[in-house]
Amino acid sequence: IMLTKEAKEITGGLSAPSKMPGPAYNLPATQCITGGKRVKIPGSVCAGCYALKGRYRFSNVRLALARRLESLKHPRWVEAMTALIQDEPWFRWHDSGDLQGVWHLKNIMEVCNQTPGTMHWLPTQERQYLPLGSYPKNLVIRLSNAKNNTAPGQAWTHWSTVVDKGFHSCPAQSQGNKCGTCRACWSREVKHVTYP
C-alpha cells in the first residue's frame, strides 16, 4: 500500500474547498479544453470563471495546480489517488479545471473502482469524452450546460445548469456558501442540479 507522503508527491496532493464535505482535486482552469474557448463567450457558464480569479491566482495555488496537471500521466497516478481518497466518504473531481482526455476519464473511473466506499462527483464540459458505456456506481458525472439558463444540449443521465434568475436547487448560498448536509451533486437520484 502506498504511503500518503509518496501519494501526495506523485499527485500534487488534494485540495480542500471550504464549501465541500470532503477533499477535491483541481487543475488549472487555464488548461480547460472546452472551457478555455467558452470563457470568452458572454452568457456561457465559463464566462467570468471563478477559478480564474480570487485565491486561484495566488502563486502557491497556481504552482499546486500546475503540479497536479503535470502528475496526471504519472504511471502510478491511479494508485496514488486511490491511497489519498480511500477513506473519504465524499470526493469532488475538478473544483477547477476539467478532463484532459478520454485517458484521464478512464483513470478517474479506475480510482472510483478502487475506492468503492467513496461517492465521487465529476462535473464536466467535455461532452466528447462521455460515451464510454458503463460507469462505476459510485461516480456521478454531471454534464455542465454550455450556457446559462438553458437545458442540456445532449441527452445525458445527470447534468447541472447555472441560472441567473428563478429557482435553484443548490442551497449553499443560503447556508454560508457550504454544502452543509446537502449531497445532491453526488446523488444518482438527483438528475438535475441548478446553481445560482
Side-chain angles (χ1 to χ4, degrees):
I1 296 175
M2 184 179 291
L3 297 176
T4 301
K5 182 179 178 185
E6 183 182 7
K8 285 181 179 177
E9 287 173 2
I10 289 171
T11 63
L14 304 179
S15 59
S18 59
K19 178 181 180 178
M20 301 290 145
Y25 194 71
N26 53 16
L27 301 173
T30 56
Q31 299 303 308
C32 288
I33 297 166
T34 298
K37 298 170 188 160
R38 290 191 177 143
V39 74
K40 300 169 189 166
I41 303 171
S44 79
V45 295
C46 298
C49 176
Y50 67 86
L52 293 174
K53 51 193 173 188
R55 292 182 179 170
Y56 290 95
R57 297 181 69 185
F58 293 174
S59 60
N60 62 324
V61 174
R62 286 197 323 257
L63 287 170
L65 295 171
R67 276 195 309 272
R68 291 184 191 117
L69 181 67
E70 184 65 28
S71 79
L72 292 179
K73 293 192 178 179
H74 191 286
R76 296 182 71 197
W77 185 86
V78 168
E79 180 186 359
M81 287 300 295
T82 300
L84 293 177
I85 296 171
Q86 65 187 348
D87 295 325
E88 299 292 343
W90 308 100
F91 191 77
R92 177 180 176 174
W93 292 95
H94 308 145
D95 56 298
S96 74
D98 209 333
L99 295 170
Q100 299 295 300
V102 172
W103 57 270
H104 185 189
L105 177 55
K106 287 180 177 178
N107 283 346
I108 287 173
M109 288 167 57
E110 186 54 34
V111 172
C112 295
N113 286 329
Q114 293 186 30
T115 56
T118 302
M119 196 62 206
H120 298 260
W121 162 36
L122 170 63
T124 186
Q125 288 278 333
E126 303 302 336
R127 291 156 166 73
Q128 71 273 24
Y129 304 142
L130 299 182
L132 290 179
S134 63
Y135 295 87
K137 290 183 178 174
N138 62 332
L139 171 63
V140 173
I141 300 175
R142 289 203 182 274
L143 182 60
S144 300
N145 281 8
K147 292 194 139 198
N148 294 337
N149 305 307
T150 60
Q154 82 180 61
W156 186 248
T157 56
H158 298 86
W159 67 95
S160 62
T161 308
V162 175
V163 293
D164 294 329
K165 55 186 181 275
F167 175 79
H168 67 86
S169 59
C170 176
Q173 194 175 36
S174 63
Q175 51 194 37
N177 199 32
K178 295 189 183 303
C179 296
T181 59
C182 180
R183 298 294 180 270
C185 295
W186 289 268
S187 174
R188 283 182 168 256
E189 304 304 311
V190 179
K191 300 300 183 185
H192 184 192
V193 175
T194 57
Y195 308 103

